[in-house]
Amino acid sequence: GAGVSQTPSNKVTEKGKYVELRCDPISGHTALYWYRQSLGQGPEFLIYFQGTGAADDSGLPNDRFFAVRPEGSVSTLKIQRTERGDSAVYLCASSEQGLGNTEAFFGQGTRLTVV
Amino acid sequence: TQLLEQSPQFLSIQEGENLTVYCNSSSVFSSLQWYRQEPGEGPVLLVTVVTGGEVKKLKRLTFQFGDARKDSSLHITAAQPGDTGLYLCAGVGSNYQLIWGAGTKLIIKP
């Protein structure tokens, strides 16, 4: 596609439920990043994929969070047993390869609200 | 741990005024990027600075990278309401991770 696409754009879920957030990166981009952003704050790094593998998952807050990218394109961020503190905008970005001096293109994000 | 501190966190000024946003760290970055984010959108890259002391201009925006590549500034001349948004700096760390500042929320009043 022309840009990074994230679905759904909004998700409201009950505390304790499981959610999946999807990211479609720009075609051909090997690097994919997930971030979480609270209102008025900068993005908080969660996980970085280079191709199909998670090159760095040090930002995942706990074992309730998991992400996959099985074919090196679409990625899914999975959150188990959601908590109210998980409420945030989840941003996905892709770039041609490791960021270096290349530009990261962001999706519009998925706003997750846990009630 | 590499950290980036942005200041001020919030700035509200009148149209036509000048302003400067700062991004500071104790760590050295291979390069530093400035992004602008509007409500409901993802951040969009404005500029990347690479060389210590480098200055880049984008219309009324002037970006500077510190000589030691630890800090950067964004100066806006004659601010306009269309400049309103969240300005984010991000340093490219040793493993190509982006280290983000918390952002400066800028409001330009007509």
Side-chain angles (χ1 to χ4, degrees):
Chain A
V4 178
S5 175
Q6 290 187 247
T7 55
S9 55
N10 282 283
K11 177 71 177 179
V12 180
T13 190
E14 292 180 348
K15 179 175 177 293
K17 298 290 188 182
Y18 167 83
V19 296
E20 289 190 352
L21 312 179
R22 177 187 168 107
C23 174
D24 270 284
I26 292 173
S27 178
H29 280 192
T30 58
L32 185 146
Y33 291 75
W34 282 100
Y35 294 90
R36 179 168 69 174
Q37 188 175 28
S38 299
L39 190 63
Q41 297 292 316
E44 171 194 1
F45 167 75
L46 295 177
I47 187 169
Y48 159 50
F49 286 92
Q50 185 62 252
T52 61
D56 184 349
D57 64 357
S58 62
L60 295 176
N62 51 60
D63 61 6
R64 295 187 297 106
F65 288 74
F66 189 71
V68 296
R69 195 186 185 198
E71 298 178 359
S73 178
V74 172
S75 176
T76 305
L77 177 65
K78 307 179 181 191
I79 310 175
Q80 298 177 320
R81 305 183 304 281
T82 52
E83 300 176 357
R84 291 195 179 88
D86 299 334
S87 296
V89 175
Y90 288 81
L91 292 167
C92 175
S94 71
S95 67
E96 287 186 21
Q97 49 188 25
L99 273 170
N101 294 330
T102 64
E103 180 177 355
F105 293 85
F106 283 82
Q108 292 184 318
T110 293
R111 181 177 298 279
L112 176 66
T113 304
V114 182
V115 298
Chain B
T1 302
Q2 293 179 299
L3 294 173
L4 267 175
E5 293 187 359
Q6 270 188 256
S7 61
Q9 290 184 327
F10 179 79
L11 187 59
S12 178
I13 62 172
Q14 292 294 137
E15 180 178 2
E17 294 183 5
N18 303 331
L19 66 108
T20 302
V21 176
Y22 300 93
C23 182
N24 295 302
S25 176
S26 58
S27 302
V28 175
F29 293 100
S30 59
S31 62
L32 194 139
Q33 301 177 344
W34 283 92
Y35 289 77
R36 179 174 165 221
Q37 185 177 22
E38 298 193 40
E41 303 288 332
V44 176
L45 181 68
L46 294 174
V47 76
T48 301
V49 285
V50 180
T51 307
E54 182 177 4
V55 176
K56 281 192 174 178
K57 293 193 174 184
L58 189 64
K59 296 183 180 178
R60 293 176 293 99
L61 279 59
T62 301
F63 304 85
Q64 185 164 6
F65 201 13
D67 291 342
R69 305 205 321 274
K70 294 182 179 181
D71 53 81
S72 181
S73 64
L74 158 61
H75 183 78
I76 301 179
T77 303
Q80 298 178 0
D83 296 328
T84 293
L86 179 67
Y87 289 81
L88 296 157
C89 65
V92 181
S94 55
N95 59 351
Y96 296 113
Q97 291 290 3
L98 278 179
I99 310 298
W100 292 88
T104 294
K105 187 171 183 179
L106 177 64
I107 295 177
I108 309 300
K109 296 177 284 188

